[in-house]
Amino acid sequence: MKKRNSRRSLAVIVFSRTLLFLFILAAALLGPGGLRAYALLQGEPPAASQELSTFDNLIRQFQESWQKGTSEDRKKLAETLIVEADKLPDSNPQKARGLLLASSVDVGSARSIALVRRVVALDEKNLGANDPHLAEDYGSLAVLASLTDVIEAEKLHGRAVAIVEAAKEMEPFYRVTILSSAAIFYRQQKEYKEAERVLRRALEFADGLTPAQKSLQLQLRASLADVLDEEGKKDEAEHLIAEPAPPSNNTQTNSDTMGAENDALRARQYKERGELKEAELFYRQAISAYEKVPASGFALSQSLNELADICHSEKRDVEAEELYRRALNVQEKSLPFILAMNARVLSYPFAIQNFLRDQGRLNEMELVYQHALAIQEQYLGPNDYSLGETFLMLAGIYREEGKSGTAVPLCQRAMEISERYFGKGDPHVIAILNEYVRNLEAVGRTQEASAMRARANRMGNREASPK
């Protein structure tokens, strides 16, 4: 049992880190700090100046790389984009935009953080201290800084929130995304009063969202209900859960989407409270509604997995497995139609692998991870960090089955990918080193194992030492 919990914990840690990186990537492209970059990705008309013709062509290539290219393609384009942006004068707004786009590659790395800092410095100089665009920059940098410096992140979120609340003119979508990002941070720091205040302000601004954006209100209400629960305000939280979905426009597709999202959020709330009958009812309603909406594969697969978890917890394993496999099938069918950032989430088969582990079906877990590797290589390229994490988990499965000889080259491949992406000194590499050590010892390569253990210990000591 101890071994099982250890492997599940590793899966949760890896998945949590991946989701954090995806959130940052979304912030860089779609949310705080990236809204101008997103305009370029959506086909903003190029500038008329001949000076920017090469730059505009790079922007278009970068846009296409998110739909059709690999992470390696984007890295190469980002390098060229930085070179071309540096040729522009600081006063040219395209310079900051180009650097911001380049920062969306290898999000979370020291390089990407440095690029966002440059964007902040340029906009502070060119736009002034209270420009709404600066709030976007501060919000984006705050998300990145939260990985390494919580104190700086809190200051940056505070400055972003202050600008948003004081700005006379700013589109509601931008206000809501920046405030929502700050609320997530405050909640993570257990600053529940500030998280509640910011979420209530975000809900005020959400009244001005367009019908197509109204689903953000559901997310805000769910987040606020969670915070109220954590503050002990159960009655207020229950009232929010029970509220009907906000009104949508008159198209059937949007109405179905809103209803599905509202049901899914209510189901999650009931599930977290342990009220599984109510949760199951709303998940089934959400699934039925999502099935009517084109391109809702990600959300549909989430609800299927959540419902499967409930069935599994109640020992209804035949039904649970059917739901898990159905969710996996939906995810795979969704992959050709999504951005690469979502391909990472959809290619992680944690729901089905946890179910198979609980039943001791390790050989079937091998097949699931091998299939995930094939998907990741197809959509993300052969050196994306997602492959390194999947190689690591597959190596763990082989070791548990007594196949350490097969696991060793997977550990080596995971190490190569992760060192290239995160750097040789990054704490992320420690988990790979530890798995590598166990497999090397199992095949009798004790000298190599000892050297790697010493390296892992040195890195762990550096991480634990006071800053």
Side-chain angles (χ1 to χ4, degrees):
M1 181 63 69
K2 189 174 292 184
K3 181 184 292 186
R4 175 181 296 178
N5 290 341
S6 173
R7 291 303 303 165
R8 177 168 291 187
S9 296
L10 175 60
V12 171
I13 289 168
V14 171
F15 191 51
S16 297
R17 182 185 179 109
T18 301
L19 286 179
L20 177 59
F21 268 48
L22 288 171
F23 173 77
I24 295 169
L25 184 56
L29 288 173
L30 306 177
L35 299 167
R36 286 162 292 155
Y38 178 59
L40 290 172
L41 288 175
Q42 293 301 301
E44 183 178 280
S49 171
Q50 185 63 35
E51 176 189 16
L52 298 178
S53 60
T54 301
F55 193 87
D56 292 328
N57 185 51
L58 276 171
I59 294 295
R60 285 190 289 271
Q61 291 180 53
F62 201 90
Q63 174 187 0
E64 292 172 358
S65 75
W66 280 106
Q67 295 288 354
K68 303 175 183 177
T70 67
S71 59
E72 295 299 315
D73 296 331
R74 286 186 289 280
K75 286 179 183 179
K76 291 177 183 177
L77 285 168
E79 292 299 323
T80 308
L81 194 56
I82 293 169
V83 171
E84 293 300 321
D86 282 336
K87 294 178 183 178
L88 302 174
D90 287 354
S91 58
N92 191 320
Q94 289 281 51
K95 183 168 189 171
R97 288 170 152 181
L99 295 175
L100 192 60
L101 273 175
S103 75
S104 68
V105 175
D106 285 354
V107 174
S109 67
R111 181 92 182 271
S112 70
I113 295 174
L115 287 171
V116 177
R117 289 191 189 282
R118 287 185 63 190
V119 172
V120 169
L122 287 169
D123 283 347
E124 284 179 333
K125 178 180 177 181
N126 294 325
L127 302 177
N130 296 311
D131 190 279
H133 285 312
L134 204 56
E136 301 163 22
D137 293 341
Y138 287 146
S140 182
L141 184 56
V143 174
L144 293 166
S146 66
L147 293 171
T148 56
D149 191 336
V150 172
I151 294 176
E152 181 190 15
E154 183 156 14
K155 290 179 180 178
L156 289 164
H157 275 305
R159 292 168 75 181
V161 169
I163 293 173
V164 166
E165 292 187 301
K168 293 182 179 179
E169 293 185 6
M170 191 174 185
E171 290 191 28
F173 175 78
Y174 296 180
R175 293 188 198 258
V176 166
T177 53
I178 293 169
L179 293 175
S180 179
S181 173
I184 290 171
F185 172 82
Y186 292 132
R187 185 182 172 192
Q188 288 173 338
Q189 300 306 310
K190 301 188 185 304
E191 298 179 25
Y192 298 126
K193 288 186 178 179
E194 185 62 10
E196 179 187 346
R197 187 192 76 79
V198 171
L199 284 168
R200 290 191 185 280
R201 288 290 282 150
L203 280 167
E204 291 175 18
F205 291 121
D207 287 339
L209 292 171
T210 66
Q213 298 165 348
K214 283 293 185 180
S215 62
L216 284 173
Q217 282 186 288
L218 301 177
Q219 299 292 339
L220 291 170
R221 275 176 25 194
S223 296
L224 180 55
D226 288 339
V227 170
L228 291 171
D229 258 338
E230 287 158 338
E231 290 182 292
K233 301 177 180 178
K234 305 293 184 184
D235 290 342
E236 290 184 63
E238 182 67 35
H239 177 71
L240 277 174
I241 295 171
E243 280 186 16
S248 64
N249 63 13
N250 57 8
T251 66
Q252 185 61 40
T253 296
N254 193 58
S255 176
D256 287 337
T257 301
M258 291 292 292
E261 290 176 351
N262 189 57
D263 287 339
L265 289 170
R266 292 176 72 179
R268 179 175 62 81
Q269 295 283 346
Y270 283 121
K271 185 182 177 186
E272 290 179 356
R273 289 164 172 248
E275 300 175 26
L276 299 187
K277 287 184 179 179
E278 291 82 356
E280 180 171 347
L281 171 65
F282 281 105
Y283 274 129
R284 291 193 184 279
Q285 290 180 187
I287 289 166
S288 178
Y290 277 133
E291 287 176 329
K292 301 174 184 176
V293 181
S296 66
F298 183 33
L300 173 58
S301 66
Q302 283 184 310
S303 290
L304 286 166
N305 278 327
E306 292 288 340
L307 179 56
D309 285 344
I310 292 174
C311 293
H312 182 40
S313 71
E314 296 181 340
K315 310 299 183 186
R316 294 148 55 191
D317 283 345
V318 173
E319 185 178 4
E321 182 166 358
E322 187 275 330
L323 288 165
Y324 283 129
R325 294 197 180 279
R326 186 176 160 199
L328 198 60
N329 184 53
V330 169
Q331 289 174 201
E332 291 175 11
K333 287 181 178 177
S334 301
L335 281 165
F337 308 104
I338 62 172
L339 291 174
M341 65 178 79
N342 286 337
R344 289 196 181 94
V345 172
L346 292 181
S347 65
Y348 281 117
F350 288 126
I352 184 68
Q353 72 94 22
N354 283 338
F355 173 77
L356 294 172
R357 174 173 290 286
D358 284 344
Q359 298 199 333
R361 295 155 64 180
L362 297 184
N363 61 325
E364 293 183 56
M365 290 178 69
E366 286 182 35
L367 299 176
V368 170
Y369 279 128
Q370 288 166 357
H371 190 51
L373 284 168
I375 290 172
Q376 289 168 343
E377 188 165 38
Q378 178 182 353
Y379 289 98
L380 303 174
N383 296 308
D384 189 84
Y385 71 85
S386 301
L387 276 83
E389 293 168 345
T390 308
F391 277 128
L392 173 62
M393 288 182 284
L394 180 55
I397 297 298
Y398 283 135
R399 175 176 53 77
E400 291 183 58
E401 293 182 297
K403 303 176 184 176
S404 285
T406 306
V408 166
L410 297 185
C411 291
Q412 182 177 359
R413 185 78 180 104
M415 182 73 72
E416 290 170 354
I417 292 173
S418 296
E419 285 182 341
R420 183 183 297 114
Y421 187 88
F422 298 109
K424 292 186 177 182
D426 192 279
H428 179 81
V429 178
I430 296 176
I432 302 173
L433 285 168
N434 288 332
E435 184 64 49
Y436 212 160
V437 165
R438 288 190 284 268
N439 284 291
L440 287 171
E441 288 177 336
V443 297
R445 294 163 60 176
T446 55
Q447 189 171 356
E448 293 174 71
S450 178
M452 287 198 175
R453 181 183 290 105
R455 180 185 169 193
N457 289 339
R458 287 194 300 271
M459 292 173 66
N461 291 336
R462 285 200 301 270
E463 181 69 10
S465 63
K467 302 294 183 184

